[in-house]
């Protein structure tokens, strides 16, 4: 069975790494890896291949950035001849980025079975580009692997046949558990002069948070208060960095003494930063899950989450972008002696093995 596996953006790399590893134990499957090139900076892509031991992509489509239509269309245009030439039995996509839906559409239109890893997650907010990508990808997939029970339930409500759906746990957590002890050896805290629990970690990249300077400025109002108590370490996504450099915000950001803006950091350093933090503030999807396992308080700067198990069982609070609500959650975290949280079912480091076993059975 030939399976073409797709990566494009940073979070896809943590998800594909354990799946590529698990294929190695299954001789019936010959995997190919295709990188769309959606992310291309060294610290948004190449670095993770090396750190996570992901094999070099067999092909890189080199598509790069663009509007949604341009990026999605260019990926489709570049991927179609590959599917025609390779004639895979399946195409496997992960997550919810433009590369996910673009390659999924190409596959099914050529009659190739589509596998979606991280299926069924729903924020129920259709203004998020990822929500559109999730709904569309799930609706054309032949095999759907879910990280949490809410995903299974959402797919059932949408009428997806139950035999296509498998609850397997979370491949991003496979990667975390596999690399946790290596991350412990990172010297990033010493390098940045930080003490464990003496700082917060911040990430922001959702268009709804960063594209409008007025909204990003409102988030900075809250972060300014946090930065009076704790150093706020902020590895900034390129989308966000560009906004922070605009005339509306540049001077304000420069005056925020406690805010340490960095380039995006590697996975091992980032894992070490998260695990040593007093709290994490984020609008990332994956980071809500990783902090759940690390049992580090997470304040999610969004109105919704597609990962409700991180709130029900984990250490996550979804507070939106109103500074008063953010600061109320922050004060609650700072005054609390204990961290809420438990481990969601099947987030045990064996999710990729379960996925590959289902794929093998279908070989
Ligand atoms: C994408 C995903 C988002 C995911 C995020 C992970 C979509 C619709 N969005 O958002 O779901 O959470 O990746 O990080 O697929 N840029 C660079 N260098 C790079 C990559 C991007 O400078 O290597 C800049 C470009 O100016 C680009 C912008 O970032 O226009 C946005 O990149 P894009 O891939 O379109 O979306 P993300 O915001 O990264
Ligand atoms: N991450 C990283 N370095 C950083 C920021 C994030 O290695 O500077 C990792 C993080 O640990 C997680 C993934 O990138 O594994 C999350 O990616 P991102 O937040 O870009 O995407 P999302 O999960 O929101 O789609």
């Amino acid at each position: 069975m030939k399976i073409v596996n797709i990566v494009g953006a940073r979070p896809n790399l943590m998800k594909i790494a354990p799946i590529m590893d698990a294929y190695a134990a299954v001789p019936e499957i010959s995997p190919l890896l295709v990188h769309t090139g959606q992310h291309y900076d060294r610290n948004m892509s190449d670095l993770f291949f090396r750190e996570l031991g992901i094999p070099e992509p067999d092909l890189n489509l080199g598509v790069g950035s663009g509007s949604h239509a341009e990026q999605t269309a260019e990926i489709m245009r570049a991927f179609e001849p590959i599917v025609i030439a390779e004639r895979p039995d399946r195409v496997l996509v992960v997550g919810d980025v433009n590369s996910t839906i673009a390659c999924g559409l190409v596959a099914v239109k050529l009659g190739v079975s589509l596998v979606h890893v991280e299926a069924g997650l729903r924020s129920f907010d259709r203004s998020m580009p990822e929500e559109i990508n999730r709904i569309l990808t799930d609706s054309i997939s032949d095999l759907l692997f879910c990280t949490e029970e809410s995903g299974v339930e959402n797919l059932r409500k949408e009428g997806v046949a139950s035999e296509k759906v498998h609850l397997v746990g979370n491949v991003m957590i496979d990667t975390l558990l596999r690399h946790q002890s290596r991350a412990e050896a990172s010297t990033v805290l010493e390098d940045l002069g930080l003490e464990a629990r003496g700082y917060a970690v911040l990430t922001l990249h959702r268009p709804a948070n960063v594209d409008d300077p007025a909204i990003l400025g409102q988030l900075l109002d809250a972060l300014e208060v946090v930065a009076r108590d704790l150093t706020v370490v902020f590895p900034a996504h390129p989308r966000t960095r560009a906004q922070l450099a605009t005339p509306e915000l540049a001077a304000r950001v420069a005056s925020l003494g406690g805010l340490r803006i960095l380039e995006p950091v590697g996975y091992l350093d980032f894992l070490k930063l998260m695990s040593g933090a007093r709290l994490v503030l984020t609008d990332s999807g994956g980071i809500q899950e990783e902090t759940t396992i690390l049992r580090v308080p997470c304040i999610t700067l969004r109105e919704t989450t597609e990962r409700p198990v991180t709130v029900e069982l984990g250490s996550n609070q979804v507070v939106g972008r109103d500074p008063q609500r953010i600061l109320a959650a922050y004060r609650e975290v700072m005054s609390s002696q204990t961290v809420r949280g438990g481990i969601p079912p099947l987030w045990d480091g064996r999710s990729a093995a379960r996925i590959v076993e289902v794929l093998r059975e279908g070989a």
Side-chain angles (χ1 to χ4, degrees):
M1 174 187 277
K2 189 190 275 188
I3 304 183
V4 170
N5 302 272
I6 307 298
V7 289
R10 173 171 65 186
N12 298 163
L13 301 171
M14 298 74 185
K15 294 170 196 173
I16 213 71
I19 299 174
M20 297 305 289
D21 261 7
Y23 286 139
V26 181
E28 297 95 316
I29 297 178
S30 19
L32 281 180
L33 183 60
V34 173
H35 194 324
T36 65
Q38 177 173 346
H39 286 177
Y40 44 86
D41 288 348
R42 191 194 72 87
N43 58 10
M44 294 295 286
S45 178
D46 283 9
L47 179 56
F48 301 99
F49 279 84
R50 279 192 283 108
E51 285 193 312
L52 303 177
I54 306 169
E56 279 290 303
D58 297 285
L59 285 155
N60 191 323
L61 309 182
V63 166
S65 305
S67 70
H68 282 277
E70 286 165 348
Q71 192 176 56
T72 308
E74 285 305 317
I75 295 169
M76 291 181 71
R77 199 202 293 268
F79 186 50
E80 185 176 53
I82 293 167
V83 179
I84 292 170
E86 294 292 341
R87 303 183 165 278
D89 299 287
R90 295 189 190 276
V91 167
L92 181 146
V93 294
V94 299
D96 54 15
V97 302
N98 284 347
S99 300
T100 309
I101 180 59
C103 293
L105 260 180
V106 169
V108 295
K109 292 244 173 149
L110 289 170
V112 176
S113 165
L114 181 64
V115 181
H116 186 203
V117 173
E118 204 184 82
L121 296 181
R122 297 288 181 270
S123 66
F124 302 102
D125 172 2
R126 289 195 180 207
S127 71
M128 287 182 77
E130 295 81 5
E131 183 76 353
I132 305 299
N133 293 343
R134 289 188 281 257
I135 293 169
L136 296 180
T137 305
D138 286 341
S139 73
I140 56 173
S141 291
D142 300 284
L143 257 182
L144 300 96
F145 292 107
C146 296
T147 52
E148 60 172 87
E149 191 57 47
S150 75
V152 176
E153 184 59 15
N154 293 332
L155 293 173
R156 190 188 64 72
K157 287 186 186 146
E158 289 173 20
V160 177
S162 63
E163 59 270 20
K164 292 182 179 178
V165 178
H166 299 262
L167 180 65
V168 291
N170 193 327
V171 285
M172 207 173 210
I173 300 307
D174 288 10
T175 294
L176 185 153
L177 296 174
R178 193 156 310 168
H179 295 283
Q180 208 168 11
S181 54
R182 279 177 71 214
E184 267 314 300
S186 154
T187 60
V188 67
L189 299 196
E190 293 86 326
D191 298 347
L192 294 174
L194 300 167
E195 293 212 351
R197 312 290 158 218
Y199 64 94
V201 170
L202 168 69
T203 81
L204 288 173
H205 70 275
R206 294 282 156 221
N209 279 344
V210 306
D211 284 3
D212 177 347
I215 293 177
L216 187 51
Q218 188 182 306
L219 289 170
L220 290 175
D221 291 341
L223 295 166
E224 187 172 354
V225 177
V226 175
R228 284 183 207 138
D229 303 336
L230 293 171
T231 301
V232 178
V233 181
F234 182 13
H237 185 287
R239 173 190 282 278
T240 314
R241 182 170 279 270
Q243 283 301 320
L244 294 171
T246 56
E248 289 103 311
L249 293 172
R252 168 104 197 268
V253 168
S255 72
L256 283 177
L259 192 65
R260 298 269 299 268
I261 301 180
L262 313 175
E263 288 292 323
V265 299
Y267 182 75
L268 298 175
D269 286 346
F270 194 70
L271 199 49
K272 175 82 176 194
L273 278 171
M274 281 192 293
S275 50
R278 182 74 184 79
L279 76 157
V280 172
L281 300 125
T282 192
D283 60 10
S284 161
I287 292 171
Q288 296 172 60
E289 300 180 331
E290 291 168 340
T291 47
T292 287
I293 297 298
L294 297 170
R295 297 178 75 99
V296 172
C298 179
I299 296 181
T300 295
L301 307 174
R302 291 173 40 186
E303 300 295 342
T304 57
T305 184
E306 60 289 323
R307 293 161 160 91
V309 79
T310 62
V311 177
E312 288 151 17
L313 290 185
S315 53
N316 189 20
Q317 299 185 61
V318 179
V319 304
R321 39 184 91 83
D322 167 30
Q324 297 315 318
R325 282 180 64 201
I326 297 168
L327 291 173
Y330 165 67
R331 292 194 183 101
E332 196 253 309
V333 165
M334 291 300 278
S335 63
S336 168
Q337 301 303 315
T338 55
V339 182
R340 286 186 316 128
I343 311 291
L346 303 177
W347 291 22
D348 60 358
R350 295 201 28 80
S351 302
R354 290 188 191 100
I355 289 169
V356 170
E357 182 54 24
V358 173
L359 294 173
R360 192 188 64 78
E361 282 165 8

